[in-house]
Amino acid sequence: MDAGGSDSNGREYKTADEMWKEQTGDPNKKTLWYRQGVSYWEGVNATVDGVLGGYADVNEPDITCSDDFLKIILSERFNADAKTQPLVALDCGSGIGRVTKNLLIRHFNEVDLLEPVSHFLEAARETLTSGEYTNSDMHKAVNFYCVPLQDFTPDVGRYDVIWIQWCIGHLTDDDFITFFKRAKVGLKPGGLFVLKENIARSGFVLDNEDRSVTRSDPYFRELFSRCGLHVYKSKDQKGFPQDLFAVKMYALTTEAPKKTHRTRSKTQSNRPRTIVY
């Protein structure tokens, strides 16, 4: 990746490859990178304010915007016949189950949660396997996987949507690509990924504290291409404080978009033109 960037201390990198070589260029460094990332979140309280970095107020606009985006995708991608079959989602980097509880479990019959921080996952399990969430067989959390994203391989053909929010920045570029290539097998025919992430204005920004990288839109699109994924639809998050990173949602498919051929109508092509001298 040729894009340059900086870290949270203001250090400049000429390219992303330079940064990754320094941070994760050998097996020991890479192991340390992931260990430090999990360690950071192990020190965070299992609350909405904790998992949102002290910005609990963004929960409502986050869910509202995601809900609007998801409704459009579901209506376009899953026809009436498909809706008679159970819809299943995977919540990657699920944390305390915030997105599952407020969004996914309302649209999907079954939701699996994937989270490497054990006390987050236990908080999610406690919430989603008690009270109102156990009274319905139609919409429920099923599996809770305490596994890092880079080590996870889904069951073949289980998911209609794999939702990945605010966690992919912890993966190196190489592991980003291998994750999506492995995760493709977990999609049902016509299924897709939804990636929701912070967006850097250009290049990338490395956070030295939590060991994550915020990538720019062109950076993401280059990685999508390397994964063999295509952007089906995208949307910008609205209603967040100005001091936060911009946030974007991408719906990603494994099939290339259909090409449309535009032709001028005969009426327009045969219409007399006014010649101005």
Side-chain angles (χ1 to χ4, degrees):
M1 184 66 64
D2 293 332
S6 60
D7 68 14
S8 52
N9 296 326
R11 176 179 172 181
E12 299 289 334
Y13 292 90
K14 293 181 180 179
T15 66
D17 290 339
E18 176 191 352
M19 181 274 294
W20 286 122
K21 184 176 181 180
E22 178 180 294
Q23 299 293 326
T24 64
D26 63 55
N28 290 334
K29 286 183 177 180
K30 191 172 183 180
T31 298
L32 185 61
W33 167 273
Y34 286 119
R35 184 182 299 152
Q36 289 176 337
V38 171
S39 178
Y40 171 85
W41 290 107
E42 286 175 342
V44 172
N45 291 332
T47 62
V48 172
D49 196 55
V51 297
L52 292 179
Y55 287 89
D57 289 346
V58 308
N59 179 65
E60 184 175 346
D62 169 55
I63 296 299
T64 298
C65 199
S66 294
D67 189 48
D68 292 341
F69 190 61
L70 184 56
K71 283 177 180 175
I72 293 171
I73 292 167
L74 292 177
S75 66
E76 292 180 352
R77 299 284 296 188
F78 301 98
N79 58 35
D81 292 336
K83 290 179 181 178
T84 63
Q85 301 298 319
L87 290 176
V88 185
L90 173 66
D91 183 1
C92 295
S94 62
I96 61 173
R98 182 186 66 88
V99 173
T100 291
K101 180 179 73 171
N102 295 307
L103 175 69
L104 299 179
I105 207 165
R106 294 194 283 112
H107 295 283
F108 295 89
N109 303 105
E110 296 183 0
V111 183
D112 294 342
L113 288 80
L114 175 67
E115 170 58 50
V117 179
S118 59
H119 76 289
F120 285 173
L121 194 65
E122 286 310 307
R125 190 196 304 271
E126 184 176 344
T127 299
L128 293 164
T129 59
S130 63
E132 61 182 295
Y133 300 102
T134 59
N135 294 331
S136 172
D137 289 332
M138 296 299 294
H139 298 272
K140 58 186 178 182
V142 178
N143 297 303
F144 297 81
Y145 299 112
C146 193
V147 180
L149 202 62
Q150 69 274 13
D151 295 335
F152 183 74
T153 300
D155 292 340
V156 175
R158 172 158 171 76
Y159 301 109
D160 297 280
V161 171
I162 295 179
W163 189 278
I164 307 153
Q165 180 167 350
W166 286 332
C167 61
I168 204 72
H170 288 287
L171 296 194
T172 66
D173 287 355
D174 288 344
D175 285 337
F176 181 114
I177 294 166
T178 56
F179 164 74
F180 276 105
K181 287 185 175 180
R182 287 197 315 276
K184 285 179 186 179
V185 305
L187 292 176
K188 296 179 184 177
L192 45 72
F193 298 99
V194 175
L195 177 70
K196 185 168 187 176
E197 264 299 340
N198 294 341
I199 302 294
R201 290 183 179 179
S202 63
F204 63 89
V205 179
L206 164 65
D207 189 318
N208 291 315
E209 186 177 14
D210 70 5
R211 314 308 285 157
S212 69
V213 170
T214 299
R215 299 170 170 98
S216 65
D217 178 66
Y219 195 152
F220 272 120
R221 289 176 184 269
E222 170 64 24
L223 290 178
F224 298 155
S225 177
R226 294 187 191 182
C227 295
L229 296 173
H230 307 275
V231 178
Y232 170 74
K233 196 177 292 292
S234 64
K235 181 177 182 178
D236 295 329
Q237 170 71 44
K238 304 296 184 183
F240 277 14
Q242 293 296 313
D243 58 330
L244 297 181
F245 280 113
V247 173
K248 199 175 192 73
M249 290 174 279
Y250 303 91
L252 305 167
T253 65
T254 56
E255 71 267 15
K258 295 179 180 179
K259 294 182 179 180
T260 57
H261 300 282
R262 295 182 179 180
T263 58
R264 295 173 62 189
S265 68
K266 291 183 179 180
T267 302
Q268 183 178 5
S269 61
N270 293 332
R271 183 177 299 161
R273 298 181 181 180
T274 302
I275 300 175
V276 180
Y277 293 95

